[in-house]
Amino acid sequence: MTPVTRRRTPEELLLQVQAEEAQDSRGRLKIFLGYASGVGKSFRMLDEGRRRAERGQDVAVGAIQLPATQDVEELLKKLEVIPLRTMDGARVMDVPAILKRQPRVCLVDGLAWDNPSGSMNPSRWQDVRQLLDAGIAVIASINIQYIAELQGQVERITGKHVTQTVPQSFLYGTDEIVVVDAPPEMCFGHSGQGVAGDPTRLAHQLSELREIALLFAADVVDHQLETYLKQNGVAASYGTQERILVCITPRTSAKAMIESGKRNAERFHGELIAAHVRQGRLDDQAKAALDRNLQMAREAGAHVEILEGDDPIEAILEFARERGITQIFMGHGLDTQWWHRWTGGPVGRLIRGAQGIDVRVFPQ
Amino acid sequence: MTPPAPGKLKIYLGYAAGVGKTYQMLTDAQDLHRQGHDIVIGYFEPHGRADTIAKTEGLEIIPRRKVEYRGAVFEEMDTDAILARRPEICVVDEFPHTNVPGSARIKRWEDVTVLLEAGIGVLTTMNIQHLESLNDQVWQISGVRVRETIPDWVVKQAEQVVMVDVTPGALVNRLLRGVVYSQEKSKKALENFFQESTLGALRELAMRQTAHESESHHVESDIAESDRNAAISHGTALETEPVVAPTDRFERILILVTADPSSAMVIRRAKRVADYLHADCMAVAIQRPTGGNKVAAGEREAIERHLNFARNLHIDARLLDAESAGDDPAKALVEFARVNGVTQLFLARPRGTGLKGMLQASIEQRIVWLSRDMQVTIVADRTRCA
């Protein structure tokens, strides 16, 4: 749908004001996201630093992972490096030195690095937050295996457990995220991969990790897009991510719908939402059936919403528009009144009202 | 003589001009050249970008073929010359390009197919907006109806799809750098604001598509592996039934094709859903007895066009006679679906609006009514409302 500028709600104005204020004083954060070591995250990060420095920006390197590859070493020669300092025998980013030096842009590798106890911040990503708060822009790089919420998924693939992580919310708060995508083959022969075994299996694992990285980045972009549109009072849904809404009533045989919704959401890497529109009082039997259906939806991983509204079809449509739903799953009504053959009944109304949204009608 | 093993295809996928697809492709080409591969440039679009042009240095370029059309001279990739030169790998920019009329093949991707079949590996570039199944969504997002599209199955043949990513902000900066600002700075900023959100949406689509291509690769290799394992455990040859998760085989999608232009939208959407669900996909149009009037002839032509469009997307598409079902098209469709084990029907939204739409049962409503044993998806009009 075309973005339509409309009057902004107070909440949206507040969001914008907050965002603008934060923008003014805070440094911008840009992150290069990789799916394995060897895809070239550090190189891309330093290369951007080099280009910015050549354009006259004040750039300094805050932290870099060692040992570096040869091309990374070459880049480092062209940049000012603020050396790490040693604390309790551990090498940590020298935050006080960076704050004192106050570059416009600081390059930081190894975001998940833990600082030794007694440091101002437990982890390096919190050091970065401190730099951002001080108005220094940061360009950083991270491997998906260090994102806390992705750990389970990544561990299942690599069989390796990492203890140092960065919370997902920190990455959602970035101003810019870039995927460093190289096909799995590019990573062959690179040391430090750590996934032993035959090349086919390795390629397979890498491609799974790559997929996780791409989808994570897509989610971050989706989140940013939504925030951006909201801040600017644009009522638009681009349908870039599939969002499936399953309509639940006490009467629907919800099982087929929920199962199908779950499968569709999984295949599209989309979102599954189940909604019920509360209407009047239900007898005990209907209530029990409804609870069963809603529980089933929850177990399938659906986000469950109870909606209010005198007109259930209108309530569903309004919710769907607001949430950027791309597909509505609905059960075929049991009502067999003759006039519904002509008007289509509630299903017909939903179909006519669902502008820009697919409607899937399920047999009952 | 046995034909050569088909060459491998690698696609550099972007979301807009200027993200650096060609640059990345040529960087890789230089690497491959250095590693000793026999690589040539079959087609390259310089767009006047100095740093990209510099990346072609040292690489052999196959001269373009000059084609005259309506008094003007156009330059196209010389597929025959590449075949004669027979390199190991060939760089072909702008995968979705349409050749000038009079060329041997209509689309560049068809030329690429010829190269691949001859055993030549190909590196090529494209933007997400050229993927056929996303055509309506791209229109919805950007307001641009992309004409040069590539069927999804062609992209699916790629050995690798790599996403070339920059942020929309960096891209807009790239475009603006060196460009003189007009006085109407604010107006321009507003335009850019919309532009940036459009770019963001396209970028997200490209990321999801790249993930999907990567996934379908290892899903397929999983299936192949389970086939192998099944063969081993049964101690039999590979003639055993392919082992596929049973739920995957359950889905069969049937598209109702009509003369209405919305058919293209329904076909694209249904095929996309089918691809994601690993479902079968068929399409039928219902032929009504015409009596040879003119309107019916035009309708028939449109239907034939839509069926051909479906076939180009590798959908089994046919024309069905309604007479068998007593001239009831809805009934004919539903019966065909039942006989063929269809689990999902895909239809366009009913057209009738106003009083007529309210009072008259459309064929779509009749289908929903009749097909109470299968899922029916009414595909949305992905239109841009001003």
Side-chain angles (χ1 to χ4, degrees):
Chain A
M1 244 160 276
T2 313
V4 179
T5 313
R6 55 170 171 79
R7 269 182 81 103
R8 275 166 262 181
T9 64
E11 289 76 31
E12 286 165 351
L13 283 171
L14 186 67
L15 253 177
Q16 192 185 8
V17 169
Q18 285 171 344
E20 279 170 0
E21 275 175 0
Q23 203 87 49
D24 284 346
S25 55
R26 273 193 106 215
R28 286 174 68 82
L29 174 61
K30 178 169 186 171
I31 288 185
F32 286 96
L33 181 73
Y35 61 91
S37 55
V39 295
K41 297 177 299 294
S42 305
F43 180 83
R44 284 282 301 272
M45 175 185 81
L46 292 170
D47 198 41
E48 169 147 356
R50 173 194 59 84
R51 273 184 283 121
R52 288 197 188 201
E54 280 169 7
R55 288 208 297 271
Q57 285 186 23
D58 180 21
V59 180
V61 178
I64 193 78
Q65 299 281 79
L66 293 168
T69 56
Q70 203 187 333
D71 44 357
V72 165
E73 290 285 2
E74 288 298 315
L75 277 173
L76 280 173
K77 281 182 204 155
K78 297 175 185 159
L79 290 161
E80 177 190 341
V81 179
I82 298 170
L84 299 178
R85 68 192 168 117
T86 309
M87 220 186 129
D88 295 343
R91 310 277 289 154
V92 298
M93 183 159 80
D94 197 343
V95 179
I98 298 168
L99 290 174
K100 193 163 160 244
R101 162 69 180 75
Q102 196 78 21
R104 182 165 160 205
V105 183
C106 185
L107 311 180
V108 181
D109 221 354
L111 275 185
W113 217 247
D114 275 347
N115 292 331
S117 58
S119 307
M120 198 170 359
N121 300 306
S123 288
R124 189 172 288 169
W125 65 269
Q126 288 151 321
D127 289 342
V128 166
R129 207 160 55 183
Q130 203 182 339
L131 299 181
L132 295 170
D133 287 342
I136 298 169
V138 174
I139 307 177
S141 77
I142 190 171
N143 185 326
I144 51 159
Q145 76 180 105
Y146 297 111
I147 300 171
E149 284 80 356
L150 296 182
Q151 258 200 307
Q153 247 179 307
V154 173
E155 250 182 75
R156 263 196 301 281
I157 297 165
T158 60
K160 286 201 335 181
H161 180 75
V162 298
T163 49
Q164 305 179 337
T165 59
V166 178
Q168 178 173 296
S169 58
F170 182 70
L171 287 121
Y172 268 73
T174 58
D175 299 286
E176 294 180 286
I177 191 162
V178 181
V179 192
V180 181
D181 186 26
E185 283 77 344
M186 294 280 287
C187 309
F188 276 17
H190 210 282
S191 63
Q193 190 41 60
V195 193
D198 67 299
T200 339
R201 211 178 122 238
L202 177 60
H204 191 282
Q205 290 182 344
L206 286 171
S207 91
E208 280 183 305
L209 293 173
R210 176 170 175 245
E211 194 191 314
I212 293 172
L214 284 161
L215 290 171
F216 180 79
D219 285 345
V220 174
V221 170
D222 195 73
H223 174 81
Q224 287 173 342
L225 201 60
E226 218 168 272
T227 317
Y228 185 81
L229 294 176
K230 249 187 211 142
Q231 276 172 13
N232 291 284
V234 178
S237 168
Y238 287 130
T240 39
Q241 185 182 23
E242 292 288 340
R243 292 198 177 86
I244 295 163
L245 174 64
V246 179
C247 303
I248 305 275
T249 71
R251 285 168 298 144
T252 38
S253 50
K255 193 166 182 287
M257 275 201 288
I258 291 168
E259 275 175 2
S260 174
K262 179 174 192 264
R263 205 152 71 81
N264 277 266
E266 276 171 5
R267 285 293 162 76
F268 280 102
H269 298 285
E271 246 181 85
L272 182 63
I273 300 160
H276 167 68
V277 187
R278 210 197 306 270
Q279 304 160 76
R281 287 192 61 82
L282 297 172
D283 61 44
D284 287 350
Q285 203 188 345
K287 201 177 170 310
L290 177 66
D291 287 345
R292 253 198 322 276
N293 288 345
L294 293 176
Q295 186 51 31
M296 207 186 311
R298 274 186 209 103
E299 278 164 18
H303 176 81
V304 173
E305 292 267 355
I306 306 295
L307 309 175
E308 305 284 346
D310 298 333
D311 182 344
I313 298 297
E314 218 16 81
I316 289 286
L317 286 171
E318 200 190 316
F319 176 75
R321 279 187 287 257
E322 202 176 287
R323 294 292 288 268
I325 297 294
T326 57
Q327 304 180 38
I328 300 176
F329 286 14
M330 198 198 199
H332 213 306
L334 289 177
D335 43 336
T336 47
Q337 284 99 326
W338 61 268
W339 63 85
H340 283 161
R341 274 175 176 270
W342 277 266
T343 63
V347 172
R349 275 188 58 217
L350 184 79
I351 290 168
R352 278 195 299 274
Q355 203 77 44
I357 305 171
D358 293 348
V359 175
R360 191 178 298 184
V361 185
F362 278 72
Q364 292 293 327
Chain B
M1 206 177 85
T2 50
K8 286 180 179 171
L9 175 66
K10 176 167 176 173
I11 298 174
Y12 293 82
L13 183 72
Y15 65 90
V19 295
K21 297 178 297 295
T22 306
Y23 186 85
Q24 182 65 49
M25 173 172 70
L26 290 171
T27 305
D28 286 2
Q30 291 284 3
D31 281 350
L32 290 165
H33 181 62
R34 249 193 311 277
Q35 287 162 23
H37 293 277
D38 177 24
I39 185 165
V40 304
I41 296 179
Y43 191 92
F44 160 64
E45 196 60 66
H47 292 297
R49 294 178 196 140
D51 50 347
T52 309
I53 294 167
K55 282 276 167 196
T56 62
E57 225 181 273
L59 293 175
E60 177 185 343
I61 298 176
I62 306 287
R64 298 179 192 183
R65 190 170 51 89
K66 290 196 170 45
V67 188
E68 225 191 277
Y69 179 67
R70 293 194 177 160
V73 177
F74 295 84
E75 291 191 335
E76 295 289 359
M77 176 165 86
D78 195 341
T79 306
D80 289 339
I82 299 167
L83 288 174
R85 164 66 178 76
R86 199 161 285 276
E88 183 192 341
I89 305 165
C90 183
V91 173
V92 183
D93 215 359
E94 300 196 340
F95 201 28
H97 172 79
T98 304
N99 293 329
V100 73
S103 304
R105 281 159 290 272
I106 298 170
K107 298 282 186 180
R108 182 163 295 154
W109 66 259
E110 293 174 297
D111 284 313
V112 166
T113 305
V114 170
L115 297 179
L116 294 171
E117 279 166 3
I120 299 168
V122 174
L123 309 183
T124 192
T125 57
M126 71 179 279
N127 283 328
I128 188 70
Q129 39 276 50
H130 295 281
L131 190 69
E132 180 67 56
S133 70
L134 287 175
N135 193 265
D136 302 303
Q137 218 174 337
V138 167
W139 180 47
Q140 193 181 10
I141 292 168
S142 66
V144 177
R145 179 61 85 180
V146 177
R147 299 284 167 202
E148 295 187 323
T149 56
I150 297 185
D152 295 45
W153 63 265
V154 175
V155 173
K156 207 138 262 143
Q157 286 176 334
E159 182 78 10
Q160 292 172 1
V161 177
V162 192
M163 163 124 190
V164 182
D165 191 26
V166 295
T167 63
L171 181 60
V172 170
N173 274 341
R174 254 182 221 184
L175 299 174
L176 288 180
R177 209 176 295 147
V179 177
V180 185
Y181 246 55
S182 74
Q183 313 124 311
E184 295 173 286
K185 200 171 173 178
S186 58
K187 197 184 157 204
K188 204 153 203 153
L190 191 71
E191 275 168 15
N192 279 334
F193 143 64
F194 281 129
Q195 213 178 353
E196 267 198 53
S197 64
T198 301
L199 291 173
L202 292 174
R203 180 175 179 230
E204 188 189 336
L205 281 179
M207 287 172 171
R208 293 193 186 281
Q209 191 67 34
T210 312
H212 173 67
E213 297 301 339
S214 162
E215 181 182 29
S216 36
H217 255 268
H218 56 75
V219 165
E220 264 147 44
S221 67
D222 279 350
I223 290 171
E225 195 172 317
S226 60
D227 281 357
R228 248 194 327 274
N229 291 341
I232 294 161
S233 66
H234 287 106
T236 57
L238 284 167
E239 287 157 7
T240 35
E241 280 283 293
V243 181
V244 178
T247 45
D248 288 353
R249 275 293 158 213
F250 262 103
E251 299 277 8
R252 179 167 289 165
I253 287 173
L254 177 66
I255 306 161
L256 174 64
V257 171
T258 67
D260 194 279
S262 62
S263 284
M265 224 178 253
V266 179
I267 290 167
R268 288 190 198 104
R269 181 66 176 165
K271 181 63 176 148
R272 190 167 174 80
V273 172
D275 282 350
Y276 272 79
L277 295 181
H278 305 292
D280 285 345
C281 193
M282 313 170 71
V284 290
I286 315 281
Q287 179 165 276
R288 280 189 260 203
T290 56
N293 69 58
K294 257 194 188 148
V295 179
E299 246 180 45
R300 207 170 247 203
E301 209 181 80
I303 284 177
E304 205 39 60
R305 208 171 49 240
H306 294 153
L307 288 175
N308 276 332
F309 174 65
R311 285 181 195 119
N312 283 337
L313 304 186
H314 283 190
I315 297 168
D316 172 1
R318 32 184 126 162
L319 199 59
L320 193 69
D321 219 319
E323 264 174 277
S324 56
D327 275 347
D328 182 343
K331 213 171 145 204
L333 178 80
V334 173
E335 270 173 15
F336 177 86
R338 281 200 187 111
V339 169
N340 286 283
V342 166
T343 56
Q344 287 192 45
L345 285 170
F346 271 69
L347 319 172
R349 271 162 60 92
R351 281 269 149 176
T353 48
L355 199 61
K356 189 169 172 253
M358 292 296 286
L359 293 179
Q360 199 183 53
S362 62
I363 173 172
E364 293 85 356
Q365 276 168 27
R366 295 245 317 126
I367 291 166
V368 172
W369 193 263
L370 286 169
S371 59
R372 293 202 151 198
D373 48 349
M374 49 192 112
Q375 299 168 22
V376 183
T377 298
I378 312 292
V379 175
D381 281 318
R382 284 181 168 75
T383 50
R384 285 172 66 80
C385 28

